[in-house]
Amino acid sequence: MPDITATLRYLIPTGERPIYIASTGGADAALNVGAEFEDREVTVHNARKLSPRANLDREGFTLREHISVVKDFYQLEPQRDLYEAEITDLVLTVSGGRDAHVFDHTLRSDSSEVRGLHTIRETASVIHNDYTDASAHKRLVDLLGEDKASQRLRGRFAIINVWRSIRGTVWNSPLALCDAATLANNDLVASERRAHDRIGELELVSWNPAHRWYYYPQMNATEALLIKTFDSSGDERATRSVHSAFANPLAPDDAPPRESIESRMLVFFD
């Protein structure tokens, strides 16, 4: 598949703190951000052509073959422990981590009909990263408690997102991923994230022509995309890979809607 030209939505910084209100899922689930955005046409390169392939510590993302025993992710709960063990093994093998803690699964679709049927959320169609440095540390404390978190904070930890199709080939709303080496700190704008059960932070992204974008054409259910959303290492490793769903100009008119699951985990290295 060739590289493509696509439109991505960048934040227009105004000096005001953006507020992102997370949807609760359903047919009417939609992006709700109190901020101004601009559409930019960018080249999105075919990541399958990279040699060597993309790496979590260099670009901030990587694709791996991964066949799950779970056949219906809308009925995940009976096999939740099994799936979490599967993706933990995958992430630890790829990242070199010592152990991990899976803490979230989010189902998404770009079809209002599918969202209504399964009460799931919309695709995330603005460029973002799931955590700021502060909210990543807060998430660790919230999940593990002060005592365990203080022990873990003595070493390196990361937050990694495992993203996959749960129904066929992804044509519509694939993910564009920014090479972490092309992202500058001043491109990132800390934004409040409000959900029904807690308030956190994520990062929105302002335009920088240096950004280099990639995607994996025609991802299918036998593949898993690993995205690093935080790394405490403080060294030359990638800290984050900002990303966004986008309208694929190569998608056939009769392509099915995107249906996906993303699973987040804390990964510990020491």
Side-chain angles (χ1 to χ4, degrees):
M1 298 291 288
D3 299 342
I4 59 175
T5 299
T7 301
L8 299 182
R9 297 186 68 197
Y10 278 91
L11 177 74
I12 300 175
T14 63
E16 298 292 325
R17 181 175 171 85
I19 297 176
Y20 172 100
I21 300 176
S23 67
T24 56
D28 296 329
L31 190 70
N32 185 353
V33 186
E36 297 181 28
F37 293 91
E38 60 178 333
D39 290 342
R40 293 277 188 167
E41 283 197 350
V42 301
T43 299
V44 186
H45 301 274
N46 182 348
R48 296 187 187 275
K49 295 180 180 179
L50 284 172
S51 181
R53 65 182 170 188
N55 180 287
L56 281 174
D57 287 340
R58 187 176 56 245
E59 289 85 1
F61 60 87
T62 191
L63 185 76
R64 297 300 168 106
E65 289 289 327
H66 186 256
I67 299 173
S68 173
V69 300
V70 179
K71 303 305 179 187
D72 183 359
F73 282 89
Y74 293 119
Q75 302 294 327
L76 178 61
E77 199 57 40
Q79 294 183 291
R80 182 185 181 117
D81 290 347
L82 181 58
Y83 184 60
E84 292 182 354
E86 286 181 346
I87 59 174
T88 294
D89 287 346
L90 171 67
V91 170
L92 294 183
T93 298
V94 173
S95 68
R98 294 183 62 181
D99 59 298
H101 174 78
V102 182
F103 62 87
D104 178 65
H105 302 286
T106 302
L107 292 152
R108 298 184 187 270
S109 179
D110 56 3
S111 162
S112 61
E113 181 179 355
V114 173
R115 292 197 300 271
L117 180 63
H118 298 288
T119 318
I120 63 174
R121 296 180 61 198
E122 77 286 356
T123 55
S125 56
V126 296
I127 303 167
H128 70 285
N129 181 54
D130 297 3
Y131 298 94
T132 62
D133 290 2
S135 67
H137 284 81
K138 184 176 185 300
R139 197 71 174 118
L140 175 66
V141 173
D142 289 346
L143 289 164
L144 300 187
E146 291 281 356
D147 290 343
K148 289 185 178 179
S150 65
Q151 296 174 19
R152 290 298 195 177
L153 286 171
R154 296 171 189 163
R156 176 187 167 210
F157 81 97
I159 303 178
I160 294 175
N161 181 334
V162 179
W163 189 98
R164 72 187 318 130
S165 168
I166 61 171
R167 196 173 299 276
T169 300
V170 175
W171 282 101
N172 288 306
S173 303
L175 287 187
L177 305 123
C178 185
D179 181 346
T182 69
L183 186 69
N185 285 336
N186 59 8
D187 300 335
L188 304 169
V189 178
S191 308
E192 187 172 303
R193 183 189 186 277
R194 297 180 183 175
H196 72 281
D197 57 345
R198 64 187 180 90
I199 295 178
E201 279 188 328
L202 52 72
E203 293 170 328
L204 298 175
V205 183
S206 60
W207 165 248
N208 182 338
H211 294 163
R212 187 171 177 86
W213 291 95
Y214 290 94
Y215 83 120
Y216 289 94
Q218 299 179 47
M219 273 189 64
N220 60 61
T222 66
E223 298 176 307
L225 176 60
L226 279 56
I227 308 168
K228 187 191 291 186
T229 57
F230 177 75
D231 193 327
S232 70
S233 66
D235 57 21
E236 72 282 358
R237 295 181 179 93
T239 301
R240 56 181 58 77
S241 175
V242 301
H243 49 281
S244 175
F246 69 96
N248 180 7
L250 299 183
D253 292 340
D254 61 350
R258 189 247 271 185
E259 299 176 59
S260 61
I261 187 170
E262 62 211 50
S263 304
R264 297 177 180 86
M265 67 177 73
L266 296 165
V267 181
F268 305 103
F269 295 86
D270 302 301

